[in-house]
Amino acid sequence: MKIEKKIYKKLLEVPSGYVTTYGELAKAINLKNGQRVVGQIMKNNPFPVIVPCHRVVKSDGTVGGYAYGIERKKHMLSKEGLKINDDKISDFKKILFRF
């Protein structure tokens, strides 16, 4: 299975209202130090409506990038009930999904 498919499949496990990090997602498919690879794959996600790449954030709790703009990513996360202040997710540790 291609690495992209593995990552997308794993990301589907993250429920609405939760986030995971680029590093956690890489670790979940046994990709050592694969944060940047995951970031590139998220950037090129051809199915953003189906594969919720907006739920992947930086390990410090900040929102990180998004191919469709950071404001749209924040809006989508807010619609799922997350609170964001200055690009940082409130209660990050509580809503961090670990595989």
Side-chain angles (χ1 to χ4, degrees):
M1 183 183 297
K2 286 180 72 173
I3 191 168
E4 291 90 344
K5 285 188 179 185
K6 284 183 182 180
I7 289 173
Y8 295 151
K9 186 176 179 182
K10 197 53 116 167
L11 181 55
L12 290 172
E13 296 177 19
V14 179
S16 178
Y18 288 84
V19 293
T20 193
T21 66
Y22 298 97
E24 285 292 326
L25 194 49
K27 217 178 348 178
I29 65 157
N30 296 315
L31 183 62
K32 285 192 175 211
N33 299 317
Q35 303 89 310
R36 289 177 191 235
V37 172
V38 169
Q40 287 300 310
I41 290 169
M42 292 298 101
K43 179 179 158 187
N44 296 312
N45 178 4
F47 312 107
V49 174
I50 299 166
V51 179
C53 54
H54 66 281
R55 294 185 189 144
V56 184
V57 301
K58 294 174 76 174
S59 62
D60 64 359
T62 55
V63 175
Y66 191 60
Y68 303 98
I70 193 169
E71 291 305 317
R72 181 168 294 192
K73 184 174 185 176
K74 291 192 298 188
H75 175 74
M76 292 171 76
L77 291 171
S78 294
K79 283 184 74 168
E80 293 185 6
L82 280 67
K83 296 194 182 345
I84 301 165
N85 296 313
D86 297 324
D87 295 341
K88 189 158 182 136
I89 298 168
S90 302
D91 297 325
F92 173 64
K93 298 286 186 197
K94 289 182 183 178
I95 52 102
L96 177 61
F97 185 87
R98 295 183 190 268
F99 300 91

